[in-house]
Amino acid sequence: MEQVDEGKTILAIESSCDETAVAILRGGKHLLAGLVSSQMELHARFGGVVPEVASRNHLLAAPNLLEKALHKAGLEVSAIDAFAATTGPGLAAALMIGTALAKGLALAAGKPFLAINHMEGHLLSPFFGKREIPAHLALVVSGGHTLLVDVKGVGDYNVVGRTLDDAAGEAFDKVAKLIGLGYPGGPIIDQTAEGGNPNRYMLPRGMRDSGDYQFSFSGLKTAVRYLLEKEKNVSQQDLCASFQEAVVEVLADKAIAAAKHFRHSRIAVSGGVSCNRRLRAILTGVCAAEGLELHFAEPWLSTDNAAMIAFAAASRLERGEISDIGKDITPNFSSF
Ligand code: KG4
Ligand code: ZN
């Protein structure tokens, strides 16, 4: 019987922040295994991610997760065609764990290594499993970054807007901490805001009228702090709804404006904050009214995972790209 070529099998490791993840992807679309081990609870008592705690726990979790993923896929390491890891941006000591492991596997197996940018993983995730990445305006909203990107195709990314201070997810996390709601703040604020009045507290819309595609969320955070200091009996529900509205309104406004400016008929939204129900609702409404196509990463692909890293690696490999095994990590993000 003729052997059907299902494409290359890639094993990817993600360890940029507080999630250790391993995925095995075949042919750029068949996810044979996608495992995530979250350290969220470990960090919750500190109200944020502690870098050294994160890297130690990646070291503890990664080998076990790797074995489980291979077992789930029913594969031996020798069946993997290429190994990929997130090499940045992220916490340096955390990135090194996944990167060293993927490089070691690639060296031992004599297979290629691919260094993948975490933000590219997020950016491509709304098109997971697709062979072609259409031109679009990307809104990437995570805990560490807020980017508007003019995307022409795989590897052709022009960052046209970013935050000047806090990232959108970071604003959610910090404000949740101020209100005393716990970590991570995004999902908790999303829940608490349900049914709340988004117009109860007038909060600033950072840089909404700046005429460019930059963001700023630190003034909003300060405004919430002042409000909490000044007012007694603040309604948590209304405050969460008002804060959330202030963030997502600016994100949606600028994404639409940038899509128009850069002549895109398509917007794709990714990163942890893309799970936000109010952001989804606003963008869905405006894009329908404006005749813009809208893509979201599926929720399981929105927060940190290795499937998106494997997919980005597959898209690169498909174009014949591999990385030097000596490639360093890049903790900071300046551009793609
Ligand atoms: O992409 P991600 O998992 O990690 C980074 O690369 O940073 O994003 C995590 C961020 C956190 O700040 C979290 O609070 C936020 O995404 N987040 C949300 C929601 N779910 C997660 N923010 C708003 N609404 C949500 N439903
Ligand atoms: Zn992320």
Side-chain angles (χ1 to χ4, degrees), residues 72-91:
K72 181 137 198 269
L75 297 175
E76 301 283 335
V77 178
S78 57
I80 305 295
D81 297 306
F83 295 88
T86 300
T87 51
L91 304 167

Side-chain angles (χ1 to χ4, degrees), residues 14 16-19 89 118-119 122 141-145 167-173 183-191 244 248 270-277 301-305 308:
E14 154 67 41
S16 64
C17 192
D18 59 345
E19 258 94 33
H118 183 83
M119 303 318 291
H122 278 305
V141 270
S142 72
H145 300 272
E170 191 179 358
F172 272 93
D173 295 338
Y183 172 87
I188 307 176
I189 289 184
D190 191 339
Q191 281 296 328
Q244 177 173 267
V248 305
S270 59
V273 182
S274 74
C275 294
N276 187 270
R277 291 174 297 168
L301 269 170
S302 296
T303 48
D304 288 349
N305 65 85
M308 68 181 192

Side-chain angles (χ1 to χ4, degrees), residues 228-242:
L228 287 166
E229 281 167 10
K230 213 174 71 199
E231 284 206 32
K232 300 256 175 303
N233 306 321
V234 170
S235 152
Q236 282 193 348
Q237 187 189 28
D238 291 344
L239 179 55
C240 284
S242 302

Side-chain angles (χ1 to χ4, degrees), residues 95 104 120 166 321:
L95 290 166
E120 182 180 28
D166 294 345
E321 292 178 32

Side-chain angles (χ1 to χ4, degrees), residues 39-85:
Q39 307 172 9
M40 211 115 75
E41 278 173 26
L42 274 175
H43 298 278
R45 66 193 165 107
F46 302 109
V49 179
V50 182
E52 195 177 307
V53 174
S55 49
R56 277 182 96 152
N57 283 282
H58 286 310
L59 193 60
L60 287 173
N64 194 8
L65 215 57
L66 182 75
E67 278 204 323
K68 272 195 191 153
L70 286 165
H71 181 77
K72 181 137 198 269
L75 297 175
E76 301 283 335
V77 178
S78 57
I80 305 295
D81 297 306
F83 295 88

Side-chain angles (χ1 to χ4, degrees), residues 274-285:
S274 74
C275 294
N276 187 270
R277 291 174 297 168
R278 187 65 187 138
L279 177 64
R280 285 180 171 243
I282 291 187
L283 277 172
T284 302

